[in-house]
Amino acid sequence: MIQDRSLSSRLLDVVVHVVMILVLVATLYPVLYVLSASLSSPAAFNLGKVSIFPVDVTLKAYRLIWEAKTVTHSFLNSVVYTTLGTAISMMLTTSLAYAISRKRLSLRGFYMAFVLITMYFNGGMIANFLVVKNLGLYNSVWAIVLPTAVSTYYLIIMRSYFQAIPEELNESAYLDGANDLVIFLRITLPLSMAALVTIGLFYAVNYWNAWFSSLLYLKDQDKYPLQMVLRQIIIRSELLMESIRAGEASASEMASTDVTSIKYATLFVSIGPMMILYPFIQKYFVKGVMIGSLKG
C-alpha cells in the first residue's frame, strides 16, 4: 500500500510538472516572440524568418521610440496616471474597507448593500461621460483616475482581509488610548501588507493597460497614455497591410518600413515595467493572491 501511494504521488508530481511546463511555455512564448520581432529587421519579419530568436538584430526600432516625442511623452503620462491612480485607489479602497469591516459602524449593512449594488447596476458609458464632462474633469488627468478609483471587487477582498484580523488587537489598542485612525495606520495596514501589495498591483496593471477611458475622456494627444499611442501604431500598421493586399503599396515598401518593428518594440516597452516590478513584490503577491479563497 505504501509503495502504491508512493507511485501515485510520483505520477501526480510528473503530471503537475508537465502541466506547469506547458503553462510556462504558453505564457513565455508570446513575450519572447514580441521581443524577437522588435529586435529583428522588418524585412526578416515580413519574410517569416522570425520565431523566438531575432534575425538580423537591430536596435533601430528602440532608437526611433526613444527619439519619438510621442512615445516617450505618452510613457511618462502612463507613469503619472498609474502612480496617481493607484495611490488614490488604495487610499479610498482601504479606508472604506476598514470602515465597513468594523462591527461598531452604524448602518454597516446599509453601506455594504449600497456598495454591492454598484457591481450589478451602473449608468452606462454615456451617463459616465456626461458626469465626467459636467464635473469639469474632461480632458484632464482626473478623468482617468477618478471614475475607476474604487473597484467593488477589490473593496470586498480588502474588507474580508481586515475582518480576519483578530479583534483583540483592536480592543487592546483602544484600552491604550488609540483611536480608529491610529489603529488603521499602525496595526491594520502593517498586518495587511500581502493584501495591500496584491490589490495595489491589480490596480496598477489596470491603470497601466487602460486605453478606453483615454479614448473617451482625453482630447489632446499630448495627454494620451502609452496604450493609446500603441493602439494608433497598430492601426497604422494594419492600414499599411491592407494597402499592400489591395495593391496600393509594394511589398518592398513594406519590407523597408519600420512600422512593424516599432509596433512590437512599443508593445514590449508597454509590458516591460510590470514585468520589472513583479519580482520585487513576488513574496507578497504569492501570499496575497489567495486572499479571496482563504479569507471570507
Side-chain angles (χ1 to χ4, degrees):
M1 180 66 67
I2 296 178
Q3 292 180 353
D4 292 341
R5 289 181 178 178
S6 178
L7 177 60
S8 62
S9 178
R10 288 197 297 268
L11 290 175
L12 179 61
D13 290 340
V14 171
V15 172
V16 170
H17 281 82
V18 170
V19 171
M20 293 303 297
I21 290 174
L22 293 176
V23 172
L24 177 62
V25 171
T27 305
L28 193 59
Y29 175 76
V31 179
L32 293 178
Y33 180 80
V34 170
L35 177 61
S36 177
S38 67
L39 294 174
S40 301
S41 65
F45 177 83
N46 291 303
L47 292 175
K49 297 180 180 179
V50 179
S51 56
I52 61 174
F53 299 105
V55 179
D56 299 334
V57 178
T58 176
L59 296 176
K60 185 177 180 180
Y62 290 95
R63 287 199 302 269
L64 292 174
I65 289 176
W66 179 258
E67 296 172 356
K69 295 182 179 180
T70 304
V71 176
T72 54
H73 189 71
S74 64
F75 182 88
L76 295 178
N77 288 340
S78 291
V79 172
V80 172
Y81 297 155
T82 302
T83 304
L84 181 61
T86 303
I88 293 176
S89 295
M90 290 302 297
M91 180 181 64
L92 295 177
T93 301
T94 54
S95 57
L96 180 56
Y98 176 78
I100 61 179
S101 68
R102 299 299 91 193
K103 296 180 180 179
R104 299 186 299 108
L105 178 67
S106 301
L107 301 177
R108 186 176 66 142
F110 169 78
Y111 295 135
M112 192 62 205
F114 195 78
V115 169
L116 290 175
I117 289 176
T118 62
M119 295 185 68
Y120 305 101
F121 303 99
N122 63 78
M125 181 176 62
I126 296 178
N128 291 335
F129 178 82
L130 293 177
V131 170
V132 170
K133 185 176 182 180
N134 291 331
L135 290 176
L137 304 178
Y138 182 73
N139 198 34
S140 69
V141 60
W142 306 113
I144 304 300
V145 301
L146 290 184
T148 57
V150 178
S151 168
T152 306
Y153 179 71
Y154 299 155
L155 174 64
I156 294 174
I157 293 178
M158 289 301 307
R159 184 210 61 163
S160 300
Y161 200 94
F162 290 159
Q163 285 180 334
I165 297 177
E167 188 65 27
E168 290 77 8
L169 292 176
N170 297 332
E171 294 177 355
S172 299
Y174 284 130
L175 293 176
D176 292 336
N179 55 29
D180 285 310
L181 181 61
V182 173
I183 293 174
F184 174 63
L185 296 176
R186 302 287 297 274
I187 296 178
T188 304
L189 292 184
L191 292 177
S192 308
M193 189 57 64
L196 295 176
V197 173
T198 303
I199 301 302
L201 178 63
F202 288 157
Y203 271 127
V205 171
N206 290 339
Y207 280 113
W208 184 264
N209 292 330
W211 65 271
F212 190 67
S213 57
S214 304
L215 183 65
L216 290 177
Y217 304 133
L218 295 182
K219 179 176 62 176
D220 299 335
Q221 292 192 6
D222 60 348
K223 296 180 181 178
Y224 281 174
L226 182 61
Q227 302 299 333
M228 274 293 293
V229 175
L230 176 60
R231 175 178 176 270
Q232 292 177 338
I233 293 175
I234 293 176
I235 291 175
R236 285 199 296 267
S237 64
E238 292 296 332
L239 291 176
L240 182 57
M241 289 295 295
E242 290 296 331
S243 65
I244 289 178
R245 296 190 185 100
E248 299 174 0
S250 62
S252 60
E253 181 182 349
M254 183 61 186
S256 61
T257 187
D258 296 308
V259 174
T260 303
S261 298
I262 292 176
K263 177 179 69 174
Y264 284 103
T266 308
L267 179 60
F268 190 77
V269 169
S270 67
I271 65 177
M274 293 297 119
M275 295 176 60
I276 296 174
L277 178 64
Y278 178 76
F280 295 99
I281 62 176
Q282 181 182 7
K283 62 179 180 179
Y284 299 107
F285 184 79
V286 172
K287 179 181 178 181
V289 76
M290 299 298 293
I291 293 172
S293 60
L294 296 179
K295 293 179 171 61

